[in-house]
């Protein structure tokens, strides 16, 4: 599929949506450690004060795991 994205798509089409879709189809997983950490953060009153909060948000965003980014932002104290 990846070769198809690079070589068979028209040159004027945007590559990012295709790469994002490919990545999510093939690598849409979250480590148990990240999920456990997310559940710990959900119990905190101000999870954004934890030094790893934003690291995890960025990790999920860079992996294209938007539903996890959304969940992380939902537990931010300013959102509540």
């Amino acid at each position: 599929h990846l070769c198809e994205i690079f070589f068979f798509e028209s040159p004027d089409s945007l590559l990012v949506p295709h790469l994002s879709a490919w990545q999510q189809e093939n690598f849409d997983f979250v480590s148990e450690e990240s999920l456990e950490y997310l559940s710990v953060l959900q119990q905190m009153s101000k999870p954004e004060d934890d030094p790893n909060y934003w690291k995890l948000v960025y990790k999920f965003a860079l992996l294209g795991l938007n539903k996890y980014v959304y969940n992380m932002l939902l537990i931010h104290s300013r959102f509540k």
Side-chain angles (χ1 to χ4, degrees):
H1 290 98
L2 192 56
C3 289
E4 190 176 302
I5 291 170
F6 282 117
F7 297 112
F8 299 115
E9 295 294 325
S10 66
D12 60 341
S13 69
L14 292 175
L15 187 62
V16 173
H18 298 292
L19 280 174
S20 178
W22 176 82
Q23 182 271 329
Q24 288 180 7
E25 287 174 14
N26 294 284
F27 300 103
D28 189 14
F29 67 92
V30 177
S31 69
E32 284 295 319
E33 181 181 332
S34 294
L35 290 177
E36 289 172 9
Y37 189 67
L38 179 56
S39 67
V40 169
L41 287 171
Q42 289 173 331
Q43 305 304 316
M44 298 175 146
S45 61
K46 292 186 79 175
E48 66 276 8
D49 288 343
D50 187 292
N52 292 314
Y53 174 84
W54 289 108
K55 289 179 185 177
L56 192 56
V57 171
Y58 295 143
K59 176 183 173 181
F60 289 151
L62 291 172
L63 290 172
L65 301 172
N66 297 330
K67 66 182 179 181
Y68 291 100
V69 173
Y70 179 73
N71 288 333
M72 293 288 294
L73 296 176
L74 282 177
I75 65 172
H76 193 286
S77 65
R78 286 197 168 172
F79 185 78
K80 295 177 182 180

